[in-house]
Amino acid sequence: MSTTMQSPRQQAGREDDDALVERFGSSRRSRFSRHVILCAIGLFMMYPLMWLVSSSLKPNGLIFSDLSLWPAAWHPANYTEGWTALEYDFGVYFSNSLVIVVLSIIGNLFSCSLAAYGFARLDFTGRKLFFALMLGTMMLPGHVLLIPQYILFAKLGWLNTYYPLLVPNFLATNAFYIFLMVQFMRSLPTELDDAARIDGCGPFRTFWSIILPLCRPAFATTAIFTFISVWNEFFGPLLYLTDPELYTVPLALRQFVDSEGQSAWGPMFAMSVLSLAPIIGFFIAGQKYLVKGIATTGLK
Amino acid sequence: MKAAGLGLAAAPALAACGRGFGGDDDSGDGVTLNMVWWGDAARAEKTQAALDLFMERNEGVAIEVEYQDSGPYQDKLATRFAAGDAPDLMAMRMDSLREYADRGALLDLGEYEGDLDLSGLSDSAATLAAVGDSVFGVPAGLNTIGFVVRKDLAEQYGADIPDGDTWGWDDLAAFAQTVSDASGGEVYGTGFDAQTLANIVVYCRQQGEDFFTEAGELGISAATVQSWFELIDGMRRSGAYPPAGFFEEIGGGPDQSYIAQGKLASQIIPTNNFLGYNAACGGSLALLRIPGETRSVRRGQSVDCPHLWSVASASKHPEEAVKLLEFLTNDPEASLATGTTRGVPANADVAEEIKPSLEPDDQLATEYLMALQEEELPRSYTYPPGGSAIADVLDVIAVEVEFGRTTPADGAAQFIAEAEGALAG
Amino acid sequence: MTASAAEAAVMPEAVRPPAPLRGRRRARRDRAGYLFLLPWFIGMLFTIVPFFASLYLAFTDYDLLTPPEWIGLENFTAMFSDPALLQSLKVTFVYTFVSVPLSLAAALGVAMMLNRGIRGLPWYRAVFYLPSLLGASVAVVLLWRYVFGLDGIVNAFLGRFGVEAIAWTSDPDYALTTLIILHIWTFGSPMVIFLAGLRQIPVMYYEAAAVDGASRWRRFRSITLPLLSPIIFFNLIQSLIASFQTFTQGFVMNNGGGGPANSTLFYNLYLYQQGFNQFNMGYASAMAWTLLVIIAAFTALTFISAKYWVNYDN
């Protein structure tokens, strides 16, 4: 985080992260007790990851008999075995997933922010109807849409390609993110638009140079949520991808499992842990943008 | 406009650096068969070896294979059928066979008698997928359920393992009681699901009834359901069988099984999983028949299959699909490649031929099944449409009985009423 | 405005238009709005066709394999006498009305703690978000077995306080509770949204309040809550919709069966069973549209209530 190019006002905002707000009446003792509470909750939240990591390092026979978090015997070879256990090595699946995720994030950010700006800050005929329709699409259980959608994508010749997984994201079909951005944009003062209009800005300029920069937390949230949901998605890729060379990580992970025979649990756990790494990494890298809102950009 | 433009611009740009953006349609001149089944990567390898052999011998036929875990497999299969995009050759579950066959979605293999020779199959195997005069599938392999007992635990707790060919349900109860008592509750003598259809079907047949009749109706009586519940309930009360809530329905597979973890001394398994279970139990398992086979009204066990191979009636290449099916069923080399990953080869001669190449545990399971096939067994009838709803009903009521929320008698009556309703609806 | 009374009821305050315009200016504004919505309009083609296809199927007998047959309202009337369906409604309502408030409260509480400039904030944020990252892979399903199993960590922990082992997942009296606990445990998603929202609140308000000597509670009541209300509103609507449609949790916990004894038979799970296991896609579609009406009713109620507590202008 560089602070060299910022105005004093912005620096005051940035301070918020560390000391500024803590000045408002929290004693050292209350701070300490807060850390204790947070650490206790943190341990509770960490347990599953620790369990997964620990299982991924155990030999196959111990995974289900040795319940302790500290493996009685170590078997790091699960990782090397798992990486090459399937038809293609996991690098292929990881890069497939990555291509889909990155494009989905771009698509969602782009198309949903446009639609959200339209809904939140512009007035046009039928706006309420369209908004209600958009919310409505969130409310219908997806299972009954699968077959018509499959037929539609089959007619377009998109089976066994990434198009069914990607194109909808470029067309703002994810109402959740539109609604999220709408709420963020609506909480910005309307004087902003008025001021921009007086300065001669059209709606596109206003959108691009005024609203977008102020909605960074909403974009960070959208990007993170898209990453997680697309990265973990199983059913869409299952339906539309048939060639194992195109498989995503969740599809590949499922191929370790055979409910009727001996499954390669160790390698499966190892690859599951690896599959979490990009999500956690992306969240850690992206989360600093979660906090770059209006408060830290020094808006009056 | 901007968004659409960007979307269209982005896709081809990435096509250059990635797969999955179409354009590599490699369907040449020949016939391409689409074959789907469920299983894992290990099974895929064995299957592919057999298919490679087939393609070698049949130039111009390419096979596109796709496989998933069994749950997702069902969903995708149903979706593809509904969308008119059915695969040519597919793995079909016994309990969904008639859902598809009755609606004309599957090819009647009886019409391909000349191309597909089923004479090498035992009667009980050949009729598994028969509906009326038509045959809608061929067993991909054969299996049945068997009782496995941990020899090491039996010895440790001083319980003699009864003769597996002639034992009765009371022998099981006595054996289990001894183990439970001697272990002080550490190990339960036996444990098997009351709600698993395969289990109650055998028990019911032993009582002289067919769970599903030839006409596709419910043939089990309330009294039989009640005695099944009571059989388990009695053992549960005496401690021979685990208490309510013991069986947790998450995950599955031999490695996580209670018997492998040493919490149970015996349980029921599908015989084609014997190798996996015995490996998970350190080689200490004995494979017995289901209790009561020689002491009841009639035999209960039957020859089943983990899944069938069926051909879609909409297949554009039925001849080739049937040819592949013939190869998989009757060619020993195909079965040498696949082994017993889908059970014992349905063709008895083929099974005999590949037996020496199998691992000892698989040989044992194969012999168990071949012996069974040579005996006079009552025929097992296909699940009628709506059969899966009956499995759901049994699942609910068995748990109600397990937790004492209803009595075995009331539960049995309720089961009959709801199951008949499900079949009628 | 051409909005009908019904539309107005669905979205009164949340999307409040500026003063109406007339004539050419009106047309110009319309054009700008439609341009922004263009991708969405195209996308709606992908959504709306399947959407209305399923509405049609709701009035048919459709078994996936043979063409649908029009049967009028039969699917809808059959729902009233389907005990499993009523059970699934009950499960879904209990789950929603217990877990949504609790998880939102947890999310807001922790977000407040984290927002007040605390050292190690990125670390805490990541850790609290972890459970929401896990998804529902096979490994994660196995994980639950060992957390909530009879000899799992939860029972081991409770055992120290003398509590007898509980069959968290296989006892019909506990299974739903277990899923509710799991849901609350993934409060990370709404927490992240709250955190982002909290950072939109200008620090100057707090500075001014501190100068006035306002108490912490006072600052929460009169600054944080009103300024965060659009985000609370979003999280509430979103959680309601998602919770009514809960599927994966029930699917994961009990091999998709809704067991033990239908105690975790979520509405959506039952719908899926009907559609894909029992080939009653017509019935499943009717169920889907009934759920849509239920969700829309609750969403509308929330939108109406928004007038009294959601604050859009500072």
Side-chain angles (χ1 to χ4, degrees):
Chain A
M1 274 204 239
S2 98
T3 50
T4 47
M5 296 296 286
Q6 285 161 341
S7 70
R9 174 66 236 178
Q10 278 173 313
Q11 280 186 10
R14 176 59 46 75
E15 226 185 299
D16 176 55
D17 252 1
D18 314 298
L20 185 87
V21 182
E22 264 190 60
R23 281 211 305 269
F24 304 148
S26 55
S27 67
R28 181 170 296 199
R29 205 169 63 197
S30 87
R31 253 179 292 159
F32 178 73
S33 61
R34 205 159 70 210
H35 277 290
V36 170
I37 298 173
L38 289 173
C39 280
I41 307 177
L43 267 181
F44 194 60
M45 311 303 262
M46 283 284 281
Y47 180 83
L49 189 68
M50 296 191 294
W51 188 87
L52 289 176
V53 173
S54 143
S55 297
S56 75
L57 290 165
K58 290 175 185 172
N60 223 359
L62 275 187
I63 292 174
F64 300 108
S65 51
D66 171 23
L67 295 178
S68 72
L69 275 185
W70 193 257
W74 296 79
H75 191 70
N78 281 336
Y79 282 85
T80 47
E81 286 164 18
W83 188 264
T84 53
L86 302 180
E87 192 177 344
Y88 297 92
D89 64 44
F90 254 80
V92 171
Y93 306 126
F94 271 99
S95 60
N96 291 344
S97 278
L98 215 59
V99 167
I100 296 176
V101 161
V102 168
L103 288 176
S104 298
I105 291 177
I106 296 173
N108 267 342
L109 285 181
F110 187 80
S111 63
C112 294
S113 65
L114 283 177
Y117 181 75
F119 281 127
R121 315 289 284 197
L122 299 177
D123 177 37
F124 50 86
T125 316
R127 185 174 67 143
K128 287 184 175 185
L129 176 71
F130 293 140
F131 192 79
L133 199 60
M134 181 198 76
L135 284 184
T137 60
M138 287 170 81
M139 298 174 192
L140 194 71
H143 293 122
V144 295
L145 300 176
L146 286 175
I147 289 167
Q149 262 164 0
Y150 189 94
I151 296 173
L152 193 69
F153 289 131
K155 288 232 160 88
L156 288 167
W158 287 0
L159 295 185
N160 204 23
T161 71
Y162 292 149
Y163 293 120
L165 308 174
L166 290 176
V167 174
N169 287 329
F170 280 89
L171 297 172
T173 48
N174 213 321
F176 171 81
Y177 301 114
I178 303 180
F179 187 31
L180 174 76
M181 292 184 193
V182 164
Q183 290 307 98
F184 270 88
M185 290 179 184
R186 286 197 63 81
S187 61
L188 298 173
T190 44
E191 295 89 53
L192 284 174
D193 299 45
D194 300 337
R197 204 168 37 242
I198 291 164
D199 288 350
C201 283
F204 284 97
R205 275 286 301 281
T206 314
F207 166 69
W208 187 255
S209 4
I210 304 204
I211 302 297
L212 279 195
L214 290 176
C215 282
R216 251 189 281 178
F219 293 153
T221 312
T222 300
I224 289 170
F225 280 27
T226 305
F227 196 114
I228 295 163
S229 68
V230 173
W231 187 266
N232 285 334
E233 199 196 349
F234 177 73
F235 211 70
L238 168 83
L239 274 187
Y240 295 116
L241 304 178
T242 51
D243 185 350
E245 202 188 351
L246 304 181
Y247 274 14
T248 59
V249 173
L251 288 186
L253 284 177
R254 257 322 238 272
Q255 297 197 298
F256 280 112
V257 183
D258 177 9
S259 41
E260 290 163 0
Q262 287 171 298
S263 298
W265 297 115
M268 191 275 288
F269 274 108
M271 291 305 106
S272 300
V273 169
L274 278 193
S275 80
L276 288 174
I279 310 188
I280 296 173
F282 187 77
F283 180 73
I284 289 171
Q287 66 167 343
K288 66 168 179 258
Y289 297 101
L290 285 176
V291 300
K292 282 190 182 164
I294 198 168
T296 42
T297 43
L299 185 98
K300 296 247 174 181
Chain B
M1 217 146 60
K2 255 173 139 183
L6 191 107
L8 293 175
L14 268 128
C17 71
R19 302 163 286 269
F21 295 94
D24 57 340
D25 203 0
D26 55 358
S27 56
D29 311 324
V31 170
T32 303
L33 287 179
N34 181 210
M35 173 183 179
V36 298
W37 45 271
W38 71 81
D40 66 344
R43 179 179 285 182
E45 222 168 279
K46 292 180 177 176
T47 310
Q48 194 58 48
L51 297 182
D52 286 343
L53 210 60
F54 179 81
M55 287 191 279
E56 218 170 88
R57 292 188 199 164
N58 296 276
E59 292 223 354
V61 180
I63 305 170
E64 262 177 20
V65 182
E66 197 192 336
Y67 66 96
Q68 287 102 22
D69 194 13
S70 60
Y73 173 83
Q74 293 298 316
D75 303 337
K76 183 162 185 177
L77 189 68
T79 307
R80 290 188 61 180
F81 265 96
D85 178 36
D88 298 292
L89 186 67
M90 76 211 81
M92 179 58 67
R93 265 162 60 144
M94 282 295 288
D95 58 359
S96 0
L97 177 78
R98 286 194 59 188
E99 303 277 8
Y100 286 93
D102 285 18
R103 292 168 181 132
L106 301 180
L107 196 69
D108 178 3
L109 299 171
E111 290 171 13
Y112 288 81
E113 242 170 322
D115 306 311
L116 180 61
D117 180 14
L118 296 182
S119 62
L121 276 63
S122 70
D123 260 5
S124 37
T127 54
L128 275 173
V131 181
D133 297 331
S134 307
V135 178
F136 292 107
V138 179
L142 300 176
N143 75 347
T144 181
I145 55 171
F147 226 98
V148 285
V149 180
R150 288 259 314 234
K151 290 183 279 195
D152 55 341
L153 291 178
E155 192 178 329
Q156 185 181 343
Y157 297 116
D160 292 328
I161 301 177
D163 177 353
D165 287 343
T166 58
W167 67 334
W169 291 98
D170 48 345
D171 295 328
L172 169 67
F175 165 81
Q177 195 67 47
T178 313
V179 172
S180 290
D181 290 347
S183 72
E186 285 282 300
V187 182
Y188 294 100
T190 193
F192 47 89
D193 283 339
Q195 59 264 50
T196 300
L197 226 43
N199 298 350
I200 193 175
V201 161
V202 170
Y203 180 79
C204 153
R205 226 185 264 124
Q206 289 181 350
Q207 316 309 312
E209 295 168 0
D210 290 315
F211 195 89
F212 294 123
T213 65
E214 187 167 14
E217 282 160 1
L218 196 70
I220 192 170
S221 67
T224 302
V225 180
Q226 182 182 343
S227 72
W228 171 249
F229 286 154
E230 277 168 352
L231 172 76
I232 290 167
D233 208 43
M235 290 195 290
R236 184 182 288 123
R237 282 168 200 276
S238 70
Y241 183 104
F246 176 87
F247 290 105
E248 289 162 335
E249 259 193 82
I250 332 171
D255 296 310
Q256 301 145 270
S257 64
Y258 296 100
I259 195 164
Q261 292 173 30
K263 292 177 189 165
L264 287 180
S266 67
Q267 75 169 76
I268 296 178
I269 62 162
T271 52
N272 56 322
N273 297 357
F274 181 70
L275 174 82
Y277 274 91
N278 204 18
C281 296
S284 61
L285 288 185
L287 180 59
L288 277 55
R289 289 193 174 174
I290 301 297
E293 282 291 284
T294 54
R295 312 220 185 147
S296 311
V297 181
R298 62 170 184 177
R299 295 292 301 273
Q301 286 200 269
S302 64
V303 174
D304 284 302
C305 66
H307 72 75
L308 302 154
W309 290 122
S310 293
V311 178
S313 56
S315 169
K316 289 194 187 91
H317 313 292
E319 281 86 16
E320 287 82 0
V322 169
K323 198 169 180 188
L324 176 56
L325 198 46
E326 160 77 18
F327 170 74
L328 290 174
T329 311
N330 293 327
D331 196 312
E333 285 195 56
S335 291
L336 270 177
T338 54
T340 52
T341 173
R342 295 188 177 82
V344 176
N347 182 318
D349 296 338
V350 172
E352 199 61 58
E353 197 168 335
I354 73 155
K355 208 174 81 180
S357 73
L358 299 174
E359 294 194 41
D361 279 342
D362 271 344
Q363 290 193 19
L364 189 80
T366 305
E367 276 162 17
Y368 179 96
L369 197 92
M370 309 244 308
L372 206 59
Q373 275 194 94
E374 281 158 20
E375 296 165 28
E376 189 83 17
L377 299 175
R379 188 182 155 189
S380 75
Y381 298 106
T382 15
Y383 290 57
S388 73
I390 290 183
D392 292 346
V393 170
L394 183 64
D395 195 13
V396 170
I397 292 172
V399 173
E400 302 269 356
V401 173
E402 176 183 350
F403 281 89
R405 297 165 144 214
T406 183
T407 63
D410 291 347
Q414 192 191 343
F415 171 75
I416 298 294
E418 290 191 19
E420 278 174 349
L423 274 188
Chain C
M1 287 306 293
T2 55
S4 71
E7 289 159 25
V10 177
M11 9 180 331
E13 199 63 18
V15 185
R16 189 182 40 190
L21 297 165
R22 277 173 218 290
R24 224 165 357 160
R25 277 187 69 198
R26 158 102 256 167
R28 212 170 60 220
R29 295 223 74 166
D30 279 359
R31 208 173 55 215
Y34 294 153
L35 268 179
F36 274 95
L37 256 66
L38 191 65
W40 183 78
F41 282 130
I42 302 172
M44 275 313 269
L45 295 179
F46 283 96
T47 314
I48 214 94
V49 173
F51 200 65
F52 287 108
S54 80
L55 181 60
Y56 164 71
L57 291 178
F59 297 95
T60 64
D61 180 8
Y62 178 45
D63 61 16
L64 299 178
L65 300 169
T66 50
E69 239 174 85
W70 184 268
I71 54 168
L73 289 171
E74 229 171 88
N75 286 325
F76 293 93
T77 48
M79 287 168 61
F80 287 100
S81 51
D82 181 349
L85 183 127
L86 300 178
Q87 165 70 11
S88 75
L89 265 183
K90 194 182 115 196
V91 167
T92 306
F93 271 88
V94 169
Y95 181 78
T96 299
F97 290 113
V98 176
S99 69
V100 168
L102 287 178
S103 71
L104 286 187
L108 183 57
V110 176
M112 294 288 300
M113 281 176 108
L114 288 182
N115 186 48
R116 293 183 309 169
I118 189 164
R119 272 173 227 291
L121 169 66
W123 192 84
Y124 283 125
R125 206 159 36 200
V127 167
F128 290 169
Y129 197 45
L130 264 180
S132 315
L133 296 175
L134 293 178
S137 71
V138 178
V140 173
V141 174
L142 291 170
L143 160 74
W144 298 133
R145 182 178 183 150
Y146 285 89
V147 170
F148 286 106
L150 268 181
D151 46 11
I153 182 141
V154 174
N155 277 342
F157 180 75
L158 292 177
R160 295 204 175 165
F161 303 98
V163 180
E164 247 183 79
I166 293 170
W168 289 100
T169 60
S170 54
D171 186 331
D173 289 333
Y174 285 97
L176 188 60
T177 311
T178 307
L179 291 185
I180 290 174
I181 293 173
L182 269 184
H183 181 101
I184 297 169
W185 193 60
T186 56
F187 66 80
S189 300
M191 179 197 78
V192 164
I193 298 174
F194 277 138
L195 271 175
L198 283 171
R199 288 313 174 100
Q200 297 276 70
I201 300 174
V203 190
M204 56 184 177
Y205 292 128
Y206 291 107
E207 288 167 341
V211 170
D212 292 349
S215 71
R216 191 180 300 174
W217 172 245
R218 192 61 212 276
R219 294 202 301 267
F220 177 71
R221 276 296 312 264
S222 43
I223 303 174
T224 311
L225 266 192
L227 291 182
L228 197 60
S229 60
I231 304 305
I232 299 176
F233 175 72
F234 169 80
N235 268 336
L236 182 60
I237 297 267
Q238 149 62 21
S239 304
L240 269 181
I241 295 180
S243 176
F244 271 117
Q245 297 197 32
T246 302
F247 174 74
T248 315
Q249 289 216 4
F251 196 73
V252 158
M253 255 296 167
N254 298 294
N255 281 350
N262 282 349
S263 60
T264 62
L265 185 70
F266 288 97
Y267 190 89
N268 225 356
L269 193 57
Y270 184 58
L271 181 157
Y272 160 85
Q273 286 180 0
Q274 283 293 331
F276 284 91
N277 295 350
Q278 295 171 27
F279 295 79
N280 295 327
M281 193 49 92
Y283 190 66
S285 302
M287 282 183 68
W289 278 84
T290 308
L291 185 65
L292 181 136
V293 170
I294 295 173
I295 296 179
F298 279 98
T299 308
L301 274 181
T302 316
F303 265 95
I304 289 168
S305 77
K307 207 184 321 193
Y308 304 102
W309 63 276
V310 179
N311 218 328
Y312 284 104
D313 252 344
N314 296 327

